[in-house]
Amino acid sequence: MTVEIIAVGTEILLGNIVNTNAAYLAEKCAGLGLSCYHQDVVGDNEERLMETIRLALTRADIILLSGGLGPTQDDLTKEAAAKVMGKELYLHEPSREAIRQFFAERNLEITENNWKQAMVPEGAVVVENPGGTAPGIIIAENGKHVVLMPGPPGELIPMFEERYPNIMVEGTYDSSGKLQAQIEEGLEADVFMSAAAKQMDALEEKGMVVSETRANLLENRIVLIVPSGSELGLSSFADIVKADAIALGDPASVPAGQYAKEALTFLGIWEEIQGRASFGTNVTEVLNQVAAASAEAGIVYATDAASMAGQVEIAAEAPEGSLSQRVLYPAAVLKGSAHFEEAGRFVEFLKTPEAMEVFAAYGFTDGGK
């Protein structure tokens, strides 16, 4: 039998975490005599995920999906798989009870969005998950099996939880602007980490950040990228005017887009490229457009470009003086946190040498220096 492995999560595409789960699954499948010929990584986009599942069903007997089963609006694996397989979702009472017990045992308050994880496709086999709130799910139809599994947390979270075994960390990943908006709308979060100071500043001005916990955690670089093998001949930021199709993050909400606008305005070409630019809601969309060559050039973070080194190339870095401030990633405890002490420990942990070693592996440097 053949197996295809699909890892789901924008954080994987962004390089925030390494896709170690795919390697683990591939090794286990090989040990069972199952043949794995394809592995895929898809961001948190329902349409693209559905396309990937449909393609996988044409060439594999078993589809293993990891990730995207969390409680947020961007966790769409279950919904996408159910639509592809023609199944409706319903409330699975045993899963609902398991979620209730999970939070009760840890003296944590359940939020309404957590009940989303108890919704399962009709006719599916539900596999209990003693280590979390998202159960595994198996959908069988016409000789095909689609298996949904929770994605593993990032490397830093297990490191932190090993040091503080009584503290559980659950990550929510999205563009900084979207996360800011969610926090302002009442998202029950304890720590906010932003890809730019602007979003953190906005929350701090509204009194939603514990200022004394704020720290410039990481530093990144802004780069101009082109599809691998591009013959357009771009070698500087100013050369972006040679591209007919340009992908940028939306400056209204995406920090990378704000940096791109600032640099191109400095060069006096922002207005010139407006008619040729498409604006993504996050950096992943920009990265994917350039990787697929649907855009001839784009501007992203250097760490994002490194995560797709085989599909995009860095043509240039933002020129010196084009940005008014360093590309810093601040982190802070949120004032509405119900777990202030634990959140503070997590922020402090992110500044430790061992945590910085993990960040450095993805191309970040210490923002506090």
Side-chain angles (χ1 to χ4, degrees), residues 166-350:
N166 295 325
I167 303 176
M168 179 184 70
V169 179
E170 182 176 346
T172 298
Y173 306 92
D174 210 324
S175 69
S176 301
K178 286 187 178 180
L179 290 174
Q180 175 198 338
Q182 290 177 33
I183 291 169
E184 290 173 340
E185 292 168 2
L187 176 69
E188 295 188 11
D190 301 295
V191 173
F192 177 47
M193 182 175 174
S194 175
K198 178 181 178 180
Q199 288 72 26
M200 186 69 76
D201 290 344
L203 292 178
E204 189 166 16
E205 288 173 4
K206 293 183 177 181
M208 303 182 77
V209 168
V210 182
S211 299
E212 57 267 29
T213 68
R214 179 172 174 172
N216 288 325
L217 192 63
L218 305 171
E219 184 169 7
N220 209 335
R221 294 174 293 129
I222 296 296
V223 297
L224 173 67
I225 60 170
V226 295
S228 292
S230 171
E231 298 180 356
L232 202 56
L234 307 190
S235 59
S236 71
F237 254 53
D239 285 342
I240 198 173
V241 298
K242 298 178 182 179
D244 291 325
I246 301 169
L248 301 172
D250 185 351
S253 61
V254 182
Q258 293 156 9
Y259 287 123
K261 180 179 179 180
E262 183 180 3
L264 297 177
T265 299
F266 174 84
L267 294 170
I269 56 177
W270 173 249
E271 296 299 330
E272 183 179 348
I273 60 92
Q274 289 295 291
R276 290 172 274 166
S278 62
F279 296 99
T281 60
N282 55 53
V283 178
T284 302
E285 290 185 16
V286 176
L287 197 61
N288 286 339
Q289 286 186 53
V290 178
S294 57
E296 294 177 308
I299 296 177
V300 299
Y301 296 113
T303 50
D304 298 325
S307 73
M308 298 186 75
Q311 297 170 271
V312 303
E313 298 174 2
I314 294 178
E317 290 189 23
E320 185 175 353
S322 64
L323 300 178
S324 59
Q325 54 186 317
R326 295 157 61 197
V327 182
L328 296 172
Y329 288 48
V333 176
L334 294 172
K335 192 162 289 185
S337 171
H339 313 95
F340 179 80
E341 183 178 348
E342 294 87 347
R345 288 179 182 175
F346 185 62
V347 172
E348 288 302 312
F349 169 78
L350 293 176

Side-chain angles (χ1 to χ4, degrees), residues 92-103 110 115 118:
H92 186 249
E93 288 296 343
S95 294
R96 179 183 174 89
E97 177 59 20
I99 292 171
R100 189 197 64 76
Q101 290 184 5
F102 184 92
F103 279 82
I110 300 177
W115 299 125

